[in-house]
Amino acid sequence: MPIVLAIETSCDETAVAILRGHELLASEVASQTEHEAYGGVVPEVASRNHLLHAPRLLASAVEKAEIELDAVDAFAATAGPGLASSLMIGASVAKGLALGFAKPFLAINHLEGHLLSPFFTGDFEIEPNVSLIVSGGHTLLVAVRGAGEYRILGRTLDDAAGEAFDKVAKMVGLGYPGGPEIEHWALSGNAARFDFPRSMLDSGDDNFSFSGLKTAVRYQIAKLGAISDDLRRDLCASFQRAVVEVLVKKTLRAAAERELRLVTVSGGVSCNRELRAQMLEACDRAGLKLLTATPELCTDNAAMIAFAASFRLHAGFESELTREIDPNLALA
Ligand code: KG4
Ligand code: ZN
């Protein structure tokens, strides 16, 4: 069983994972809280932190996996998309290890990591599916025929879904990242209080737009003045309902149009319990199967990069050590 060590540093999470065959031996993640004060990720701060965290996480992953580094068969790193100065750290470390131990290096697309993550806990068979990737940087609908066979159906034309969660959280006085905070406050809120726009719900294509929704929340707040706890709960619940409704309906329509019977959802926003519940209900009603990643695999991690790398390695793929990172790396 080949052992793959993967490093993920595309944004503000530093992560290292070790996978032996289908068995996850270690998955270490260090999240950076320094960005909270700025209400968003500061690239310079993120890359400095990756430099600090990477050696420590590598050591603890190797210890937890109970292997020696020279037992690793391939070293992988996220090559994009992401922040250039962050990607460079993980890719350089993985390349250095590959060079030092004379093992293959694999440059992995972060989005492929997310896209494959729902299959991680199953039987590893990548069946054709409609894949919704919803994170802080991306909102994509993808038709998947198998591992490595992807066709982008649609994407957000402005803000990503997670970005909308983060921006609205800031507007209502909540911390970063905003998704979990909004989900928490929405739990006891009245989602019917504000009728926020469901942009592009009936656009007839597979694209999304969340900036109008964000602006509608901003106008509502300006009209209301001071935000009491009750009001914050209702704003969060109404906003969350609008995002979830659009994501669920457009994903199901994309599946129906291509006659695909399996829906997968991945990325940080797929941690959201309201999204998971509504997607499951809609899939059940339509007779579709739904696969989501476990919550630890939804937000950025290196296990998903190791998983994608193991598929690539199995298919005989290997990257040159001269392969550059690409902040805009496309999935297909
Ligand atoms: O996949 P991820 O960790 O990083 C990117 O590749 O962007 O996603 C992070 C995003 C953030 O915008 C965060 O607010 C959002 O995922 N998120 C959530 C939840 N947990 C994380 N959004 C809604 N509900 C959640 N429970
Ligand atoms: Zn991500």
Side-chain angles (χ1 to χ4, degrees):
M1 283 289 149
I3 299 179
V4 175
L5 186 150
I7 305 177
E8 152 65 40
T9 59
S10 66
C11 191
D12 59 340
E13 257 89 27
T14 320
V16 178
I18 301 174
L19 186 70
R20 179 169 54 206
H22 295 176
E23 189 192 356
L24 187 61
L25 301 180
S27 180
E28 303 287 286
V29 183
S31 297
Q32 304 178 8
T33 49
E34 294 86 342
H35 305 281
E36 183 158 356
Y38 306 99
V41 177
V42 183
E44 165 87 16
V45 175
S47 49
R48 280 169 190 255
N49 278 322
H50 289 313
L51 268 179
L52 279 177
H53 294 316
R56 178 174 63 77
L57 293 185
L58 255 179
S60 62
V62 166
E63 195 186 320
K64 284 194 182 150
E66 297 181 353
I67 59 157
E68 298 294 330
L69 263 180
D70 62 6
V72 173
D73 296 293
F75 293 93
T78 305
L83 299 170
S85 51
S86 286
L87 290 165
M88 258 187 263
I89 311 285
S92 301
V93 173
K95 283 180 188 178
L97 288 166
L99 189 64
F101 288 98
K103 296 288 168 64
F105 163 68
L106 292 106
I108 299 298
N109 187 309
H110 181 81
L111 295 171
E112 183 176 40
H114 277 307
L115 183 143
L116 294 176
S117 61
F119 293 95
F120 197 63
T121 41
D123 55 10
F124 282 63
E125 276 303 310
I126 313 298
E127 296 163 47
N129 66 89
V130 156
S131 167
L132 172 70
I133 307 175
V134 263
S135 70
H138 301 273
T139 303
L140 279 180
L141 269 173
V142 187
V144 178
R145 291 218 313 177
E149 294 180 85
Y150 314 126
R151 184 162 60 91
I152 310 279
L153 302 174
R155 62 178 75 241
T156 180
L157 303 179
D158 39 58
D159 293 348
E163 194 180 352
F165 269 97
D166 295 335
K167 287 177 176 171
V168 167
K170 200 174 170 189
M171 284 182 216
V172 298
L174 297 174
Y176 174 86
E181 300 264 339
I182 290 198
E183 178 178 347
H184 174 74
W185 282 79
L187 271 178
S188 46
N190 173 8
R193 175 151 173 206
F194 302 107
D195 187 19
F196 290 133
R198 272 70 168 156
S199 302
M200 301 192 71
L201 193 56
D202 301 308
S203 61
D205 61 17
D206 299 299
N207 291 324
F208 298 92
S209 164
F210 294 106
S211 81
L213 169 59
K214 175 191 67 187
T215 308
V217 177
R218 178 173 293 129
Y219 283 154
Q220 192 63 59
I221 293 170
K223 233 194 288 176
L224 293 163
I227 304 179
S228 64
D229 281 358
D230 267 349
L231 188 56
R232 182 178 294 114
R233 289 187 189 96
D234 294 349
L235 283 167
C236 288
S238 303
F239 161 78
Q240 181 174 269
R241 176 171 285 183
V243 177
V244 167
E245 189 182 324
V246 174
L247 292 176
V248 170
K249 288 194 171 155
K250 296 208 76 160
T251 303
L252 263 86
R253 202 183 37 211
E257 211 173 297
R258 279 94 191 171
E259 296 182 355
L260 288 161
R261 312 301 302 159
L262 173 64
V263 170
T264 65
V265 188
S266 60
V269 181
S270 69
C271 282
N272 188 280
R273 276 163 291 182
E274 181 67 13
L275 174 61
R276 293 167 89 98
Q278 296 296 333
M279 194 67 88
L280 186 61
E281 203 184 303
C283 284
D284 279 350
R285 237 183 293 124
L288 305 180
K289 199 172 127 191
L290 173 68
L291 274 186
T292 49
T294 54
E296 322 81 75
L297 287 179
C298 289
T299 47
D300 286 349
N301 64 85
M304 68 183 194
I305 304 303
F307 182 44
S310 74
F311 271 102
R312 296 268 161 188
L313 192 66
H314 187 69
F317 171 88
E318 192 181 320
S319 307
E320 299 287 337
L321 283 175
T322 50
R323 163 80 189 259
E324 302 268 4
I325 54 107
D326 180 356
N328 300 310
L329 188 63
L331 180 65

